[in-house]
Amino acid sequence: MATMKAVLLESFGGAKTLRVKEIDRPQPGDAEVLVKVHAASVNPVDYKIASGKYPGVTQAQLPVVLGRDISGTVVSCGSRVTVLQVGDEIYAMLDRGHGGFAEYVALNANLCVPKPEKLDHTAAAAVPLAAITAWQGLFDHGQLNSGQRVLIHGGAGGVGHFAIQFAKERGANVSTTGWAADKDFLRLLGADQAVDYKSDRFEEVVQDVDLVFDLVAGDTQERSWQVLKDGGALISTLAKPSETLAREHHARATNYMAQPDAAELAEIGQLINAGKVKPYIEATYTIEEAALALVRLEGRHTQGKIVLEVSA
Ligand SMILES: NC(=O)c1ccc[n+]([C@@H]2O[C@H](COP(=O)([O-])OP(=O)(O)OC[C@H]3O[C@@H](n4cnc5c(N)ncnc54)[C@H](OP(=O)(O)O)[C@@H]3O)[C@@H](O)[C@H]2O)c1
């Protein structure tokens, strides 16, 4: 049996408990392809699972390979796969239960999308989960349209830095919250207004928004009702907004879990190839340094994304 290097979570206890081990290489099922992973990005879900506090992942399911998005090359195809060939360069958001922090991953062929030609594998790996999350929050749930006003909380991070670019590209007016040190970055992404969440209260300088896209939750979400137009929308990747306050504001308000969506990822790829959107990568690590990468994402002010370079 061929083997591969993978980042394994064998017991809960945070990112520092991750170990790089040699495990069996997965075999693709009939509808799957085996992909040689060139790069995989790190997301908060990875350190949340490692902490043991992520809903639905229990000790009984360990060991697991972490990592939810990859960029790589198809090296074999299941018997029913007709849409892909060996040698295709693809990027993908993985379903739960498939780990991208490994030299190979088997995944449903329908989730694979041609890697944007404009990006190398390192940059492409930064895109799928964060960009799909931003797309679904703004457009599927938030129904953001041209000419509307949106407030994006946490604009400098993985999801937020795509959300700002998507909202501007759609023709919206974008306010965002971030750290003072991120102000230039937020402007570079296209934000019309960047509010320092540590020194200023956004509700004193932002008003009448059609959509609040909340990547922070807590007190930030609660204070957001003050800036929302009557009939607007409050969409969160984290906590479920209050139903009582939603009724009072005649608002649509929900939280959601991003789902892999190849059609949306293909549309995002077109924007990237057209030069309208780009991933920003603050740092890269090797697969052996996966734990360090996750500790950094959890603890520091990341601008954009952190990526693991897995293989050449
Ligand atoms: N439901 C889903 O499907 C889904 C999908 C993706 C992500 N998420 C969740 O959404 C959140 C954002 O994800 P991400 O990948 O963008 O994380 P990230 O890369 O760590 O970015 C989070 C950003 O929020 C900023 N921030 C922290 N506190 C803030 C505050 N009070 N006001 C404004 N900004 C603040 C951080 O800035 P500083 O570090 O400078 O403080 C950072 O730039 C995470 O909690 C993640 O777990 C959920």
Side-chain angles (χ1 to χ4, degrees), residues 44 48 133 154 157-159 177 179 197 215-216 237-238 256-258 301:
K48 289 181 184 180
T133 304
V159 178
T177 54
W179 202 41
Y197 75 85
L215 306 172
V216 174
T237 56
L238 294 162
Y256 70 102
M257 194 57 78
H301 302 278

Side-chain angles (χ1 to χ4, degrees), residues 5-309:
K5 253 190 250 172
V7 180
L8 273 191
L9 177 70
E10 295 178 308
S11 60
F12 295 130
K16 62 184 185 311
T17 60
L18 296 175
R19 295 286 174 270
V20 178
K21 292 210 161 164
E22 203 67 31
I23 62 170
D24 288 346
R25 198 182 286 184
Q27 299 284 332
D30 290 350
E32 290 185 329
V33 290
L34 184 68
V35 173
K36 181 173 167 63
V37 177
H38 298 306
S41 86
V42 298
N43 292 286
V45 65
D46 300 309
Y47 63 70
K48 289 181 184 180
I49 290 175
S51 76
K53 294 179 196 134
Y54 195 77
V57 185
T58 62
Q59 184 74 43
Q61 292 164 285
L62 305 186
V64 293
V65 180
L66 297 180
R68 292 291 306 280
D69 45 14
I70 55 123
S71 184
T73 306
V74 174
V75 292
S76 73
C77 298
S79 59
R80 287 197 285 116
V81 174
T82 53
V83 290
L84 290 170
Q85 292 177 358
V86 169
D88 284 350
E89 297 194 279
I90 60 95
Y91 71 155
M93 174 174 165
L94 304 177
D95 268 329
R96 260 187 174 202
H98 292 73
F101 297 169
E103 289 178 304
Y104 294 86
V105 64
L107 72 154
N108 191 313
N110 291 334
L111 295 181
C112 297
V113 173
K115 175 181 76 63
E117 289 148 23
K118 229 185 174 125
L119 302 181
D120 61 17
H121 284 288
T122 302
V127 177
L129 186 146
I132 287 174
T133 304
W135 191 274
Q136 292 178 356
L138 292 175
F139 304 133
D140 298 350
H141 299 284
Q143 294 169 19
L144 183 68
N145 281 315
S146 175
Q148 291 190 322
R149 291 175 59 84
V150 58
L151 170 61
I152 298 166
H153 288 303
V159 178
H161 93 290
F162 283 116
I164 292 171
Q165 297 180 72
F166 292 157
K168 285 308 296 175
E169 170 56 23
R170 191 54 68 100
N173 180 284
V174 178
S175 299
T176 188
T177 54
W179 202 41
D182 292 327
K183 217 158 190 168
D184 289 345
F185 179 57
L186 296 168
R187 291 280 190 196
L188 174 76
L189 295 168
D192 298 286
Q193 183 181 28
V195 183
D196 173 5
Y197 75 85
K198 295 209 171 157
S199 65
D200 298 324
R201 292 184 74 78
F202 63 84
E203 63 272 37
E204 290 171 4
V205 289
V206 180
Q207 281 104 33
D208 286 337
V209 306
D210 299 278
L211 169 65
V212 174
F213 186 33
D214 167 35
L215 306 172
V216 174
D219 168 63
T220 299
Q221 185 187 99
E222 283 160 28
R223 286 159 47 213
S224 293
W225 292 107
Q226 298 172 45
V227 309
L228 192 67
K229 260 186 191 164
D230 193 65
L234 196 168
I235 307 296
S236 180
T237 56
L238 294 162
K240 187 168 170 50
S242 152
E243 288 178 10
T244 310
L245 289 171
R247 265 194 304 277
E248 274 174 28
H249 289 82
H250 308 104
R252 279 182 308 106
T254 190
N255 58 347
Y256 70 102
M257 194 57 78
Q259 302 299 329
D261 188 313
E264 290 180 342
L265 188 57
E267 208 170 334
I268 290 164
Q270 284 169 12
L271 289 177
I272 291 170
N273 279 335
K276 294 179 172 163
V277 167
K278 72 179 238 190
Y280 287 78
I281 296 169
E282 179 175 293
T284 59
Y285 289 82
T286 64
I287 187 169
E288 282 82 7
E289 297 169 326
L292 282 179
L294 280 181
V295 168
R296 176 164 175 171
L297 179 67
E298 189 169 6
R300 292 189 30 196
H301 302 278
T302 309
Q303 289 188 340
K305 295 283 300 178
I306 294 175
V307 176
L308 299 185
E309 291 182 319

